[in-house]
């Protein structure tokens, strides 16, 4: 059975303007590989209600799981929760359990929640909260969409809560063989390997290391024995071109 | 007049598997801000012909400029040029001028081009080559789509060739004011600022610096006088909450 697929929708003008280097998709990619969910798309969009709604609706029908990152804070540019409610066609309002989490976290710092902070307790109808130890403000899951913070430490904490609950697949394993020759020298045998072992993906990544032009070959799949066989063939190839 | 918009389509299993941290979108975002082209979407897709064709066709009608990164080498997993030709409905074949560039670069290293390396001279009909000083293999532009390498040093070199030729807009300027209070404390005046200065975007980015919970406010726009005014108002706000 093929693995379930996933996408991440990153929401934030700060990524598209070049101010901030996106970090959460890379973390998600590694974690999903580990549990056997295939990440098939990363999409970054601006803080624009209509664009977020359209992207969410495209991704949630195409994939088993959709993760979002960003836009769930207390300020005017945090519009993700409302866009998710609109995408699902459900209402959204401040929810008591979410408000209590936020008030409790602020009280621990000796602060009373402002009306703006309570905006973070606005949760679409029918969602389940993602309660985490780093941020008082929760994320939430609705249908197959998991809405998480953009701040990397909070994204990591929320993903650790959500991931064990998801339908997973067979973990993808990967092995890498380093060649100290350029891609062009080994392209033909690599194509043959990819054709003869269709259960694996064979990726070819050129690198430059000082004066050395080399190529890292990455084989990925779910069957350790097949990966061993591919690595043995690659090592044989390496001996023949070395 | 609004600035022209752009998107980047990053092609590569290695990003989606978590093996490689994507780097070109961040570089592109900064360069486009500088010349006044608004990057509106970053999309990362796998080495899958149909997915690449669909994404290209969605992005090239939605944006003035589309950049692609990755998948233009000599190996079996380099399928971008064929996907671009299919998206435009044009033929593709080895082109003499592209072949000469590749042969010349290889000859300089004392190597004769293999059939696989000459695959890199396959160029869609009607495209213009992106000849650059780093890689013998050229990128190409066809219509509003600019096809570039995934290797960051080559992507940077190709973008430097392409960017000056594009219809640009008014550069976006940005200014940043650091608050040593959380977002919740300043959300109401920030919303008012964003409403009263609709020509600017006002972004709010929380940070944690040791024990300090702070917020960086970024204002962006094209008019330096308006940005000065916004910064003055933010500094006044900072003095009042400090």
């Amino acid at each position: 059975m093929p693995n379930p697929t996933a996408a991440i929708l990153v929401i934030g003008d700060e990524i598209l303007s070049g101010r901030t280097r996106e970090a959460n998709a890379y973390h998600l990619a590694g974690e999903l590989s580990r549990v056997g969910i295939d990440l098939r798309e990363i999409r970054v969009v601006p803080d624009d209600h209509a664009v977020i709604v359209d992207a969410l609706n495209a991704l949630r029908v195409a994939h088993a799981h959709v993760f979002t990152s960003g836009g769930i804070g207390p300020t005017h540019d945090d519009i993700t929760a409302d866009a998710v409610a609109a995408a699902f066609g459900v209402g959204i309002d401040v929810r008591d359990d979410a408000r209590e989490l936020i008030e409790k976290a602020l009280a621990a710092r000796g602060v009373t929640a402002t009306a703006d902070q309570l905006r973070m307790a606005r949760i679409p109808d029918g969602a389940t909260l993602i309660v985490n130890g780093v941020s008082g403000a929760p994320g939430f899951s609705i249908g197959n969409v998991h809405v998480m913070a953009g701040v990397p430490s909070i994204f990591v904490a929320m993903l650790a809560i959500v991931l064990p609950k998801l339908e997973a697949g067979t973990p993808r394993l990967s092995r890498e063989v380093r060649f100290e020759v350029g891609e062009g020298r080994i392209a033909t045998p690599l194509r043959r390997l990819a054709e003869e072992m269709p259960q694996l993906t064979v990726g070819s990544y050129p690198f430059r290391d000082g004066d050395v032009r080399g190529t890292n070959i990455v084989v990925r799949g779910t069957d350790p024995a097949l990966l061993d066989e591919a690595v043995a063939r690659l090592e044989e190839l390496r001996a023949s071109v070395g």
Side-chain angles (χ1 to χ4, degrees), chain A:
Chain A
M1 215 179 64
N3 279 345
T5 66
I8 178 170
L9 181 65
V10 178
I11 295 148
D13 288 351
E14 71 278 20
I15 311 292
L16 295 167
S17 72
R19 176 185 180 270
T20 303
R21 203 183 274 272
E22 208 286 316
N24 295 330
Y26 177 72
H27 173 73
L28 178 70
E31 292 294 294
L32 292 182
S33 273
R34 207 172 46 76
V35 299
I37 295 173
D38 289 350
L39 182 62
R40 295 279 294 175
E41 182 169 339
I42 300 167
R43 199 183 288 198
V44 185
V45 297
D47 303 330
D48 178 316
H49 181 85
V51 173
I52 300 169
V53 171
D54 285 352
L56 271 172
N57 280 332
L59 295 174
R60 74 191 178 93
V61 299
H63 299 288
H65 308 293
V66 177
F67 302 85
T68 79
S69 161
I72 64 166
T75 52
H76 64 282
D77 56 341
D78 292 308
I79 61 176
T80 299
D82 284 90
V84 172
F88 279 88
V90 301
I92 180 169
D93 207 343
V94 170
R95 212 167 93 176
D96 288 344
D97 53 354
R99 191 182 59 208
E100 278 163 27
L101 288 167
I102 293 164
E103 286 174 339
K104 203 172 132 191
L106 289 169
R109 287 155 44 200
V111 183
T112 308
T114 63
D116 288 306
Q117 281 160 333
L118 291 181
R119 279 187 75 233
M120 293 190 287
R122 286 166 56 77
I123 305 291
D125 296 347
T128 305
L129 301 188
I130 304 173
V131 180
N132 68 95
V134 177
S135 160
F140 59 85
S141 296
I142 177 168
N144 61 338
V145 176
H146 311 286
V147 176
M148 308 198 285
V151 175
S153 59
I154 308 177
F155 182 90
V156 167
M158 288 183 175
L159 185 63
I161 303 290
V162 168
L163 211 48
K165 298 178 185 163
L166 301 184
E167 171 214 359
T170 313
R172 290 232 176 244
L173 309 170
S174 78
R175 303 276 298 273
E176 190 156 336
V177 178
R178 178 185 158 108
F179 285 77
E180 300 213 334
V181 300
E183 288 189 296
R185 294 276 303 282
I186 52 177
T188 299
L190 286 180
R191 177 173 293 111
R192 201 178 313 128
L193 179 69
E195 284 165 2
E196 289 174 9
M197 303 187 85
Q199 309 92 325
L200 305 182
T201 62
V202 181
S204 171
Y205 306 108
F207 67 85
R208 191 100 181 237
D209 185 356
D211 282 346
V212 177
R213 286 167 193 272
T215 308
N216 285 313
I217 303 302
V218 177
V219 287
R220 300 182 81 234
T222 53
D223 180 340
L226 276 182
L227 286 170
D228 284 344
E229 187 188 330
V231 167
R233 287 181 57 169
L234 287 166
E235 285 171 347
E236 204 174 305
L237 172 62
R238 183 168 58 186
S240 77
V241 297

